[in-house]
Amino acid sequence: FRDPDKDLDGFAICEECNQWLTSEDMIDKHTGEDANCYANASEDQVKREIKLYTRGGHDTVTLTTPVPEDVDSERAEEFYVTLKEALFQGMLVSFDMDEEEIETFVKPASEESGPVSIVFYEVSEGGAGALHTLPEAPRFQQVVREALTVIHNDPDEDGCNKACYECLMSFYNQYVHQLLDRNLV
């Protein structure tokens, strides 16, 4: 909830003492009668509406796929989250990367953006360039093979019921453990 009388649009900075001010109350205390600005700045010396932003160049890959016909539409969220985690684990193995180097999320469908998408991106600007090669068929096939291995897809091996810490579950994805089901992918 934003209070237009007390909240600033962006930030403010005192051009005399270089102190960041984040509300109208702070500006009043900084420049008012009992001012706490050591440089005795006036309200005119406070620059307002400063917007902070950053730009980054990160490799990103977006995967868009429909829910398979044999998966109940009510389990679509489980399918997408599980597919995201399976491919993520496959990438980590294929690219020999740590979980902190690649991030992923499910981008919900909207009328403007079309179907549900899974987005993968390298965390570090510039990154290792691993995702740059992912759209190439041999590289993507390698990731899929690793993902299948990770989710216990070998019929000669006993796998877990839905998900375990040897396949899809990790410390970093605890918030989606209840959605993971390796049988969906």
Side-chain angles (χ1 to χ4, degrees), residues 89-106:
Q89 295 300 325
M91 283 181 206
L92 295 179
V93 173
S94 294
F95 301 147
D96 191 27
M97 298 180 84
D98 292 326
E99 288 185 77
E100 298 85 17
E101 294 179 89
I102 298 176
E103 287 287 335
T104 180
F105 62 92
V106 176

Side-chain angles (χ1 to χ4, degrees), residues 64-81:
T64 304
T65 185
V67 176
E69 291 177 10
D70 62 332
V71 174
D72 185 4
S73 62
E74 291 180 10
R75 298 192 69 196
E77 181 181 16
E78 294 173 55
F79 166 75
Y80 283 112
V81 170

